[in-house]
Amino acid sequence: MQDIWQQRRSGPNQQRQGDLRTVWQRDRARILHSAAFRRLQSKTQIMNVGENDFYRTRLTHSLEASQIGSSLINQLEHISSQEQRTLLPDDNLMEALCLAHDIGHPPFGHGGETALNFKMLGAGGFEGNGQTFRIVGRLESYHQQHGMDLTRRTLLGLLKYPVLMPELTPPDNMQNPGSLAQWKPAKAIFRDDADLLDWVLAPLSETDKALFQSTEQLQQSPWQRSRYKSFDASLMELADDIAYGVHDLEDAVVTGTLAAADWDQFMSPVVTQLSPALRELLDELSLQLFSDTHHLRKNAVGALVNIFVTCIHITEALPGASEPLIRYNASLPEEERKLLDALKAVVFEYVINQPSIQQLRYRSQNMLLNLFSAFHTEPTRLLPRNTRKRWEEAFHENGEQAANRVLCDYIAGMTDDYAERMYLNLFR
């Protein structure tokens, strides 16, 4: 069975002469050297790219998530049983998943994601994780048909939501989206990539596959979401959450976006519910976090990460499954999970949700809406030659919806800077 998860979709292939790397090392290298990964250097994480040279970008966030992912593996290697250790991903695989987890995000973060989803409602929708899966499995240029041609286990680990996009109905007036908040995407894989999803899940029994792809209704949303993810994906998501909750918090503190008074007001109800030992530690780290002394603040950041890394454990997430890679997940105890969720929430409330950031997001969303409209109206006139060729082939072979997916791939792959320059070229 292990050999099945190391297979590539292209089938058996010969490594270059003298190449002694493992399949996981090769996957990591393909991600690290891809154009999609390089573009993360100019894509928004929380603060807008270019406004301050301290802010994290999607690239630095992914590097930090990768380092945290390696720390999680190291922790589990020391505390897990022998049986559990056989399940742990190789360090190179763990790093590969964390490095790749955000490469499908479009310019301007989740605001750009919502704008593209609105424009694609008639052609299968858009969602950042689905685009990541599409990039690694189809769009990158390592293989003519199979993108980066990564191993099956790597692809499984990138599936945060291993279900297909629901059927979408575009509104009657596509020229006026109204509030874009109502067009947040469903969390799923594009139906255009159903064959790739089927290939990844092929080793699972029909029972395991049905369990793994079961869904639940989201609150305050018309969409359902998949209930389960693989063991590797659970580790990747934890690393992502810790990087977001702690390191993006550091950005907010250092730049003065989050004040100590706001932190105290938001976090006090959470801290009072913690165990005495953790409450005492949080009180101490809060003082260090907002200290004017740089090394004390860095110590607080490292100590916060350590809280979550050192309490990780393996749980049985899907007891009825026979495949260990989907039966088990890595998780945090309830107390630490609530703390991490609170750290993410304070970043959202005092950074992402502040009017200046939301005003920039509104502007950026409208830029992408207008870019999509322009390319959709004049594709053979405005698209670069290589993209125009793909658009023409898709249009003639499969119609307008397939051609719109090519437009979406092109715009989603833009960096923030490139999208803004393109917008100015067309509309200023």
Side-chain angles (χ1 to χ4, degrees), residues 329-345:
N329 273 188
S331 61
L332 300 176
E334 183 178 359
E335 184 176 53
E336 284 79 6
R337 181 74 255 182
K338 288 181 178 178
L339 175 59
L340 182 54
D341 288 344
L343 296 184
K344 292 167 61 181

Side-chain angles (χ1 to χ4, degrees), residues 80-285:
S80 302
S81 66
Q82 179 60 40
E83 181 182 1
Q84 290 175 332
R85 285 198 293 272
T86 63
L87 185 63
L88 296 180
D90 179 272
D91 278 342
N92 290 282
L93 171 56
M94 189 71 255
E95 290 184 14
L97 296 176
C98 294
L99 292 173
H101 81 280
D102 265 353
I103 62 175
H105 272 277
F108 311 123
H110 289 290
E113 180 184 45
T114 302
L116 286 181
N117 182 58
F118 173 75
K119 283 297 187 179
M120 289 294 290
L121 287 173
F126 178 84
E127 196 270 333
N129 297 288
Q131 189 69 9
T132 293
F133 192 66
R134 181 170 173 81
I135 287 171
V136 298
R138 201 176 300 280
L139 298 182
E140 272 286 350
S141 56
Y142 285 85
H143 189 276
Q144 189 173 2
Q145 289 90 31
H146 305 310
M148 294 186 195
D149 195 26
L150 303 177
T151 58
R152 185 182 262 118
R153 180 166 176 174
T154 301
L155 292 173
L156 180 70
L158 289 172
L159 283 173
K160 289 182 69 173
Y161 313 105
V163 294
L164 292 178
M165 189 73 72
E167 296 291 343
L168 304 174
T169 303
D172 294 332
N173 184 6
M174 284 296 294
Q175 300 305 313
N176 181 20
S179 171
L180 279 173
Q182 64 184 309
W183 303 115
K184 290 181 179 179
K187 302 296 186 181
I189 300 301
F190 308 137
R191 291 184 176 270
D192 293 344
D193 304 315
D195 59 329
L196 178 58
L197 179 61
D198 287 342
W199 181 82
V200 173
L201 301 184
L204 301 182
S205 68
E206 289 302 314
T207 301
D208 277 8
K209 186 175 179 181
L211 287 170
F212 187 53
Q213 294 189 291
S214 59
T215 59
E216 61 184 355
Q217 179 63 45
L218 292 173
Q219 295 181 351
Q220 300 178 334
S221 171
W223 308 124
Q224 293 179 322
R225 184 172 66 182
S226 57
R227 299 174 62 194
Y228 303 109
K229 56 182 62 66
S230 72
F231 179 69
D232 298 344
S234 71
L235 280 163
M236 175 266 286
E237 190 168 52
L238 270 178
D240 182 24
D241 283 351
I242 295 169
Y244 170 39
V246 178
H247 291 299
D248 290 341
L249 171 67
E250 182 186 11
D251 276 4
V253 171
V254 172
T255 57
T257 310
L258 175 63
D262 293 330
W263 164 269
D264 290 338
Q265 181 180 9
F266 191 93
M267 292 297 295
S268 289
V270 178
V271 174
T272 56
Q273 298 178 36
L274 301 177
S275 63
L278 190 54
R279 184 168 62 244
E280 182 179 350
L281 177 59
L282 257 294
D283 288 340
E284 179 185 349
L285 294 182

Side-chain angles (χ1 to χ4, degrees), residues 9 53 74 167 182 184 203 244 272 287 296 317 321 392 426:
R9 201 174 183 201
D53 61 5
N74 182 69
E167 296 291 343
Q182 64 184 309
K184 290 181 179 179
Y244 170 39
T272 56
L287 293 175
L296 290 178
E392 290 172 337
L426 294 177

